[in-house]
């Protein structure tokens, strides 16, 4: 969310009279855009005015005839432009600062007035003459304060916290608008200006912090003296004076609160009333460990709670972000952070986050991790993009545009392979209203247009914790269709291939197609199976993949619409745990095929059933199962498995499958599980 929208949203959650006394962030931003940005003095300004043709011969890139005079002329024009811009800034920057000064003074005066009102209300309450006189506002409703001491103190504490939020919003707005002025004008006066603001009472709010601390002690029934807890006085005890922390010349001393008669009930404020303010701080620069150290040192110095952090490196430059909860409300931390950023040549940014998802005055959603997109109710998915020939800039651009068009946020990008960029993993945050079927169709079209695969799967614990992989055999683990190879030796290759192709494309029922093809093999010598077995060609990296999967404890199976003798051979070579396929019937003498099969036909439905049986036998859930196949009869098991992969599949299969690999190598299955190349190498070398 842009800061202007953030500020506007939170202003609306404050009382109407408070909304009228706010730094006009949008108005000041418009002033910068209209008056200061056109006169910018950034270092890149020189590139806005290129040398004229009279200075440089464009064909030879050498100084043109009479170039010296032209150089002087162009330099003079550049100098004139700078002088003109400086004259504009000389007028407009003071004008901008004067407007901002007026707003800062109003905010500071308003804050001082509100602090005095809170102190006066507290003083009246201390005298026990009337109720507190404040109201507690939660989600737009107004509730009058009750005469109960604890209820009144709780309402007062809510008022203090609400005022603190007002101060923080305005202070953050001042910081951001001054830094924006620096960037757009090309000046460097923000630190000096903010140093002036820092001297104002509203920026430090020391009295407010002291009062909140005292209220917390009273409401919790404990006061601390030099770190030692003191027993809360009982009703029978003499009234105890309250140690208010303000100067003797403070206007609130005119009424000098004397005592608070406590109740017997031990009370501790609810979470929304605690003095917690969440701030997301990030620093970018060339000193990695130093930046981490200086941010954490500031957090420790001011006793902040570290809730979350994130670190990213780009060669020498790093960005470290830390989400902290400020507990003691000492605004000096921001001054120290600014000094640390200057010391380490870093760029500092910070955002004020709400303490909780639901707060009495604010309702902003805060994600569980600062690496997550700040949107509530999003679906988390991972997308693996891969192409053995490399990910082109054209594909990456179109892929990113598709994400933008569907309002999908990228939360993380990780390169998986080494060498030429060919495989990357994206963590995505997807709007819950987006049609996943429509998205998958768009991804299919994108993949087809660029010859690059995009595999989308839920981002959950099962992604890297699969336990069973079930493979089809023909055109998946091996490059041939075994029935076609048998038919080649039987002399019926052309007829069988036609039926096979129709079956794989889903044009005819698999059982019927198998029956027709096997019938054409009648009279073929059984010895042909051994010849075909010896001629089988395994798919690239099939053995590599299976060995890697076995190293990390996977169970592996082949379920084929082909024939058992060949499936058993594949099982033995690759070290699989299970093999299921059709059984060919042979003549009584065992020498010839009869053109029939024995037992249940391994159809598409049967493949899905066998997958589930193996999963049950191995005590794994279907979410932990991967299925890999290429034909229409594999669609059932691809749909049944947690991850169904269409491997170099027929068009109809690719369109219906949730994940696709259209590369020569089976090793890409490991990338879909999120493994990086270095990890895969460890698996295969161990």
């Amino acid at each position: 969310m842009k800061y202007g929208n953030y500020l506007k949203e939170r202003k609306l959650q404050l009382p109407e009279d408070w909304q009228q006394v706010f730094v006009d962030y949008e108005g000041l931003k418009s002033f910068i855009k209209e008056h200061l940005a056109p006169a910018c003095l950034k270092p890149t300004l020189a590139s806005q005015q290129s040398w004229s043709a009279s200075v440089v011969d464009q064909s030879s890139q050498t100084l043109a005839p009479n170039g010296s005079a032209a150089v002087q002329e162009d330099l003079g024009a550049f100098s004139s432009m700078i002088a003109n811009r400086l004259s504009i800034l000389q007028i407009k920057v003071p004008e901008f600062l004067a407007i901002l000064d007026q707003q800062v003074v109003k905010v500071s005066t308003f804050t001082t007035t509100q602090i005095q009102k809170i102190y006066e209300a507290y003083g009246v309450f201390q005298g026990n003459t009337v109720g507190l006189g404040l109201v507690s506002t939660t989600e737009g409703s107004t509730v009058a304060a009750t005469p109960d001491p604890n209820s009144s103190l709780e309402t007062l504490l809510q008022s203090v916290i609400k005022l603190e939020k007002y101060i923080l919003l305005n202070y953050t707005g001042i910081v951001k608008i001054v830094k924006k002025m620096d960037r757009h004008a090309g000046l460097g006066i923000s630190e000096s200006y903010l140093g002036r603001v820092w001297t104002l009472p509203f920026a430090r709010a020391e009295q407010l912090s002291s009062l909140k601390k005292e209220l917390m002690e009273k409401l919790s029934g404990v006061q601390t003296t030099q770190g030692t807890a003191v027993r809360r006085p009982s009703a029978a005890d003499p009234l105890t004076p309250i140690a208010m922390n303000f100067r003797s010349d403070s206007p609130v001393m005119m009424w000098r609160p004397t005592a608070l008669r406590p109740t017997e009930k031990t009370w501790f404020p609810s979470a929304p009333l605690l003095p917690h303010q969440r701030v997301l701080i990030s620093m970018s620069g060339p000193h990695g460990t130093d930046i981490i150290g200086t941010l954490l040192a500031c957090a420790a110095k001011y006793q902040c709670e570290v809730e979350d952090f994130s670190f990213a490196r780009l060669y020498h430059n790093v960005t470290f972000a830390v989400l902290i909860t400020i507990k003691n409300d000492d605004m000096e931390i921001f001054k120290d952070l600014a000094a640390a950023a200057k010391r380490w040549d870093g760029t500092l940014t910070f955002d004020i986050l709400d303490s909780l998802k639901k707060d009495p005055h604010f309702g902003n959603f805060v994600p569980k991790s600062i690496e997550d997109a700040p949107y509530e109710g999003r679906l988390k998915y991972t997308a693996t993009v891969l192409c053995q020939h490399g990910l082109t800039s054209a594909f990456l651009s179109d892929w990113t545009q598709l994400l933008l068009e569907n309002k999908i946020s990228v939360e993380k990008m990780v390169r998986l392979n080494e060498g030429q960029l060919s495989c990357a993993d994206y963590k995505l945050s997807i709007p819950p209203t987006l049609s996943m079927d429509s998205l998958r169709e768009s991804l299919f079209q994108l993949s087809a247009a660029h010859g690059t695969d995009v595999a989308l799967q839920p981002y959950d614990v099962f992604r890297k914790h699969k336990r069973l992989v079930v493979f089809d055999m023909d055109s998946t683990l091996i490059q041939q269709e075994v029935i076609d190879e048998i038919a080649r030796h039987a002399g019926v290759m052309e007829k069988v291939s036609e039926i096979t192709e129709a079956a794989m494309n889903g044009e005819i029922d698999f059982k019927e197609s198998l029956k027709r093809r096997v019938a054409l093999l009648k009279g073929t010598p059984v010895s042909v199976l051994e010849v075909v077995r010896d001629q089988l060609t395994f798919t690239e990296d099939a053995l590599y993949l299976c060995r890697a999967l076995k190293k990390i404890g996977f169970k592996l199976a082949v379920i084929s619409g082909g024939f058992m003798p060949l499936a058993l051979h594949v099982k033995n070579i690759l070290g699989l745990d299970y093999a299921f396929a059709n059984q060919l019937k042979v003549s009584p003498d065992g020498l010839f095929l009869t053109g029939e099969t024995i037992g249940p036909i391994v159809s598409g439905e049967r493949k899905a059933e066998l997958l589930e049986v193996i999963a049950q036998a191995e005590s794994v859930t279907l979410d932990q199962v991967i299925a890999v196949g290429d034909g229409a009869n594999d669609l059932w098991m691809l749909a049944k498995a947690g991850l169904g992969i269409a491997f170099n599949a027929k068009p109809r299969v690719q369109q219906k499958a949730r994940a696709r690999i259209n590369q020569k190598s089976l090793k890409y299955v490991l990338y879909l599980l999120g493994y990086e190349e270095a990890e895969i190498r460890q698996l295969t070398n161990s």
Side-chain angles (χ1 to χ4, degrees), residues 18-206:
W18 290 32
Q19 295 176 30
Q20 306 307 313
V21 190
F22 242 88
V23 172
D24 183 10
Y25 182 84
E26 290 297 330
L28 291 167
K29 189 170 75 169
S30 297
F31 185 99
I32 291 171
K33 184 177 180 180
E34 182 178 352
H35 300 291
L36 303 185
C40 180
L41 294 175
K42 286 184 178 179
T44 55
L45 178 64
S47 64
Q48 298 175 15
Q49 185 186 51
S50 59
W51 296 106
S52 67
S54 62
V55 175
V56 177
D57 185 335
Q58 300 299 322
S59 61
S60 63
Q61 293 298 303
T62 59
L63 197 65
N66 302 318
S68 296
V71 167
Q72 292 296 327
E73 182 181 346
D74 273 28
L75 285 174
F78 183 76
S79 300
S80 298
M81 180 178 66
I82 292 295
N84 181 56
R85 294 190 177 201
L86 283 171
S87 64
I88 294 173
L89 293 177
Q90 186 177 11
I91 297 171
K92 292 301 180 181
V93 170
E95 186 178 335
F96 171 85
L97 293 177
I99 296 171
L100 180 57
D101 278 347
Q102 291 176 2
Q103 296 180 16
V104 170
V105 169
K106 287 182 180 179
V107 169
S108 185
T109 303
F110 178 82
T111 302
T112 302
T113 301
Q114 293 301 317
I115 292 174
Q116 185 171 340
K117 285 181 179 180
I118 292 173
Y119 267 118
E120 289 173 351
Y122 189 26
V124 172
F125 174 73
Q126 291 286 76
N128 291 321
T129 56
V130 294
L132 191 60
L134 299 176
V135 294
S136 174
T137 305
T138 303
E139 296 181 355
S141 63
T142 302
V143 182
T146 67
D148 176 71
N150 285 332
S151 298
S152 298
L153 286 176
E154 181 176 342
T155 303
L156 181 58
L157 185 55
Q158 287 178 339
S159 299
V160 171
I161 292 173
K162 181 170 64 176
L163 183 56
E164 283 184 332
K165 290 184 180 294
Y166 170 86
I167 294 170
L168 281 167
L169 284 172
N170 277 283
Y171 182 74
T172 307
I174 294 167
V175 171
K176 286 185 174 291
I177 200 65
V178 173
K179 287 186 177 294
K180 185 180 287 290
M181 181 270 294
D182 259 0
R183 289 196 307 273
H184 287 79
L187 302 175
I189 62 175
S190 59
E191 288 191 16
S192 299
Y193 187 87
L194 292 174
R196 292 174 60 245
V197 173
W198 187 254
T199 63
L200 297 174
F202 102 95
R204 304 177 74 89
E206 292 171 339

Side-chain angles (χ1 to χ4, degrees), residues 122 126 214 218 223 240-246 257-260:
Y122 189 26
Q126 291 286 76
E214 188 157 355
K218 291 300 176 185
Q223 286 183 304
T240 306
I242 298 177
M244 299 297 285
N245 298 317
F246 43 72
T258 56
L260 169 67

